[in-house]
Amino acid sequence: QKEVEQNSGPLSVPEGAIASLNCTYSDRVSQSFFWYRQYSGKSPELIMSIYSNGDKEDGRFTAQLNKASQYVSLLIRDSQPSDSATYLCAAPTGGGNKLTFGTGTQLKVEL
Amino acid sequence: KAGVTQTPRYLIKTRGQQVTLSCSPISGHRSVSWYQQTPGQGLQFLFEYFSETQRNKGNFPGRFSGRQFSNSRSEMNVSTLELGDSALYLCASSSGVGYEQYFGPGTRLTVT
């Protein structure tokens, strides 16, 4: 089992809809989780971090963490074409600041 | 604050050569991590340095090495380059363990 798993997509949503991205992880010790957005040819950009169970909202983004189910998700409300990118879920594993990344979910927001 | 900077941005090398990549973290950040990104393997952790000490290492051969200087700037070196080393090399900095990591723009290495 991979340590961090995501559906690769592509996930297509119409403009203005809610995009829901999911991630599961295997290391129960992980205490923090991060969502990065990566545009083609660019480096990953941190968009959300979440450390405790429940929801965390930042603008159009909401991260949800359920440690009992080892599940973290990212909701993007009012999706825009500029949100079209690959979204990477990451969790610290193995100590220090080592992050293990999922393979990423490609999101396409269609006009 | 200025972000993470990496130099050079692009590099073309020949098999068998060696290469050194540089990373300057966000001011005040003492942790620097290096990652390799390829289409086939995704983002993979190489190593992390904190206060000039390697704190963690990923599953890469010994040809991959790094170091950190007293001003937190870091370099990574790849010796005896192979075609499979062609990748985007990313550096990320953080203010502490478990805190957010911010990536630089990356160095695109092509080995021919």
Side-chain angles (χ1 to χ4, degrees), chain A residues 1-6 22-33 35 50 53 64-73 89 91-93:
Chain A
Q1 180 188 7
K2 292 183 179 178
E3 292 179 286
V4 179
E5 294 200 58
Q6 297 179 253
N22 305 314
C23 174
T24 58
Y25 60 93
S26 60
D27 188 350
R28 290 188 172 274
V29 177
S30 295
Q31 294 295 312
S32 52
F33 301 89
W35 283 99
I50 186 164
N53 273 331
Q64 299 173 318
L65 173 60
N66 183 325
K67 292 188 178 181
S69 300
Q70 295 176 254
Y71 175 90
V72 59
S73 65
C89 171
T93 58

Side-chain angles (χ1 to χ4, degrees), chain B residues 28-89:
Chain B
H29 285 191
R30 293 165 63 191
S31 168
V32 173
S33 299
W34 288 90
Y35 295 84
Q36 181 196 65
Q37 187 173 35
T38 60
Q41 298 298 318
L43 258 168
Q44 292 187 291
F45 173 80
L46 280 157
F47 28 65
E48 181 205 359
Y49 286 88
F50 182 85
S51 294
E52 302 179 66
T53 300
Q54 187 180 86
R55 187 156 63 178
N56 212 335
K57 191 176 190 305
N59 291 327
F60 280 84
R63 300 185 296 106
F64 292 82
S65 63
R67 59 177 175 169
Q68 187 179 35
F69 302 96
S70 58
N71 62 358
S72 294
R73 190 177 69 86
S74 178
E75 289 181 346
M76 67 163 281
N77 183 277
V78 188
S79 63
T80 319
L81 284 165
E82 300 177 359
L83 294 178
D85 297 333
S86 295
L88 179 65
Y89 289 89

Side-chain angles (χ1 to χ4, degrees), chain A residues 36-86:
Chain A
Y36 288 85
R37 175 176 64 196
Q38 187 172 25
Y39 293 112
S40 180
K42 301 293 186 182
S43 64
E45 173 193 8
L46 179 68
I47 54 172
M48 286 290 283
S49 60
I50 186 164
Y51 297 88
S52 55
N53 273 331
D55 297 358
K56 178 183 177 183
E57 187 174 317
D58 184 0
R60 296 186 296 113
F61 298 100
T62 298
Q64 299 173 318
L65 173 60
N66 183 325
K67 292 188 178 181
S69 300
Q70 295 176 254
Y71 175 90
V72 59
S73 65
L74 179 71
L75 300 178
I76 305 175
R77 290 182 299 282
D78 188 25
S79 295
Q80 301 297 309
S82 59
D83 294 326
S84 297
T86 296

